[in-house]
Amino acid sequence: MVGVLLVNLGTPDAPDTGSVRRYLREFLMDGRVIDIPYPFRFLLVNGIIAPFRAPKSAKIYQQLWEERGSPLKFYGEDVRDALQKSLGEDYVVKLAMRYQNPDLSSVLKEMEKLQLEKLIIIPLFPQYASATTGSVYERVMELMSSWQIMPSISLVSYFYQRPGFAAYFAEKAKKYQADHDFDYYLFSYHGVPERHIRNGDITKNTCIFGTCCEQITEKNHGCYRAQCFETTRLIAKEMGLKEGTFGTAFQSRLGRDPWLQPYTDETIKKLVKEGKKKILAFSPAFVADCLETTIEVGEEYKELFEEAGGEHWQLVESLNNSPEWVSFLKDLVHQS
């Protein structure tokens, strides 16, 4: 029996202040997310961020919530079930969240009882980052350290570059291109602090936060920023876009420390000043629509764009529970 463990970031159990506060505390207390000494992280998260941010975030989650609950969770459940059906009885597919439910600890206990021959772990993050994929691996290894019988383990670090990923977004874009003549294509990725990238640069001289990301090399192939720029190039190539008509930016920054640039909100204002009035936006760092795509990019950035003088803003949906995404994962499992 081969086990397939799909792991996404997580979501509150409900769109209320208490649930959001619990989610934020677990998420932000992860040392790979906020990489400062534990005492300072504890005070920052529990004394400032969670108490003050939870009520505001709960209201936003209420806008996102659907009858089935959080889209990130129910899309994951749909994909889990469809992938299980597609792979057949020789596989067992499970879904877990790094934070909150279904939690990794409970899911891995279920998988341990199955006496698997092989376990394929797929963090559902197209690009590698220490705060996402790295955190999943660390937690999985911690939880599996007590297993007496270890199956063969295959870890998928990233998959943005695999055949089919860029093609999905290019194909989804076609229906919007048929209705509008867009003059720019903006690819917005979740940001991380620059220090995360710098800490991952073992050479200590590769990351200069500029031209170093113009191509993937042996030295930067594991760099989140470089992978984001490469994702943009691959999708743009699939779409046949010309240089100068597309760009990469980073959203969702928090705090005063410098995060990956260019920032999406500042880029939007700049583009409007340059005369870009019709923009098709993408969020290729997410496999399921969530607060950061539907609300932040789809609504908040649209409002910012229109207030600055833009005319038409459209977000291309994530992979969600599409047949193409399930087929992509099936191929990924067979190749792992």
Side-chain angles (χ1 to χ4, degrees), residues 33 35 191-199 208-209 225 250-263 266:
V33 176
D35 54 340
V192 299
E194 285 187 355
R195 68 176 181 273
H196 284 202
I197 304 300
R198 198 176 291 110
N199 290 341
I208 59 175
F209 301 103
R225 186 175 188 270
F250 298 90
Q251 65 190 78
S252 309
R253 65 185 184 276
L254 176 67
R256 298 179 179 178
D257 288 347
W259 281 46
L260 294 183
Q261 299 182 45
Y263 300 135
E266 295 179 359

Side-chain angles (χ1 to χ4, degrees), residues 183-184 271-279 305 308-313:
D183 48 26
Y184 201 80
L271 288 171
V272 175
K273 288 182 179 179
E274 294 174 352
K276 309 301 183 186
K277 298 299 181 72
K278 298 179 181 180
I279 292 181
F305 177 69
E311 297 175 1
H312 184 72
W313 175 275

Side-chain angles (χ1 to χ4, degrees), residues 237-271:
K237 181 179 180 181
E238 191 75 29
M239 294 175 64
L241 302 181
K242 297 179 180 180
E243 286 292 334
T245 64
F246 63 90
T248 297
F250 298 90
Q251 65 190 78
S252 309
R253 65 185 184 276
L254 176 67
R256 298 179 179 178
D257 288 347
W259 281 46
L260 294 183
Q261 299 182 45
Y263 300 135
T264 302
D265 54 353
E266 295 179 359
T267 298
I268 290 171
K269 296 176 183 178
K270 179 174 178 288
L271 288 171

Side-chain angles (χ1 to χ4, degrees), residues 89-285:
E89 59 185 16
D90 291 334
Y91 293 81
V92 58
V93 182
K94 297 286 186 179
L95 172 71
M97 298 294 171
R98 175 60 184 88
Y99 314 106
Q100 296 299 286
N101 299 301
D103 71 287
L104 267 171
S105 178
S106 298
V107 173
L108 281 171
K109 285 180 181 178
E110 293 175 8
M111 301 192 90
E112 181 182 15
K113 295 176 182 178
L114 298 174
Q115 297 182 308
L116 301 170
E117 296 177 14
K118 183 177 182 179
L119 175 58
I120 301 170
I121 303 168
I122 306 178
L124 297 176
F125 313 110
Q127 301 83 19
Y128 176 88
S130 173
T132 54
T133 305
S135 178
V136 169
Y137 286 173
E138 181 178 305
R139 181 61 174 156
V140 167
M141 293 300 99
E142 177 187 351
L143 291 169
M144 292 185 66
S145 64
S146 62
W147 288 26
Q148 292 302 304
I149 300 177
M150 287 284 186
S152 298
I153 298 176
S154 178
L155 307 173
V156 178
S157 290
Y158 47 83
F159 50 80
Y160 72 91
Q161 83 293 7
R162 291 179 178 262
F165 186 78
Y168 171 86
F169 286 97
E171 185 64 29
K172 289 298 179 183
K174 286 182 179 179
K175 66 179 180 180
Y176 299 113
Q177 290 175 302
D179 296 329
H180 294 276
D181 185 17
F182 294 98
D183 48 26
Y184 201 80
Y185 301 84
L186 183 60
F187 296 81
S188 182
Y189 299 82
H190 200 288
V192 299
E194 285 187 355
R195 68 176 181 273
H196 284 202
I197 304 300
R198 198 176 291 110
N199 290 341
D201 180 14
I202 297 176
T203 69
K204 300 306 178 185
N205 60 15
T206 297
C207 292
I208 59 175
F209 301 103
T211 57
C212 56
C213 292
E214 289 183 354
Q215 60 181 341
I216 294 292
T217 67
E218 292 182 356
K219 292 184 178 181
N220 72 358
H221 69 89
C223 169
Y224 175 72
R225 186 175 188 270
Q227 290 186 0
C228 289
F229 276 94
E230 181 68 5
T231 304
T232 294
R233 288 191 290 267
L234 291 172
I235 299 175
K237 181 179 180 181
E238 191 75 29
M239 294 175 64
L241 302 181
K242 297 179 180 180
E243 286 292 334
T245 64
F246 63 90
T248 297
F250 298 90
Q251 65 190 78
S252 309
R253 65 185 184 276
L254 176 67
R256 298 179 179 178
D257 288 347
W259 281 46
L260 294 183
Q261 299 182 45
Y263 300 135
T264 302
D265 54 353
E266 295 179 359
T267 298
I268 290 171
K269 296 176 183 178
K270 179 174 178 288
L271 288 171
V272 175
K273 288 182 179 179
E274 294 174 352
K276 309 301 183 186
K277 298 299 181 72
K278 298 179 181 180
I279 292 181
L280 187 61
F282 300 78
S283 293

Side-chain angles (χ1 to χ4, degrees), residues 288-305:
D289 281 317
C290 53
L291 186 147
E292 288 82 1
T293 62
T294 302
I295 304 298
E296 189 171 11
V297 180
E299 296 182 12
E300 293 178 1
Y301 286 157
K302 178 181 179 181
E303 182 178 349
L304 176 66
F305 177 69

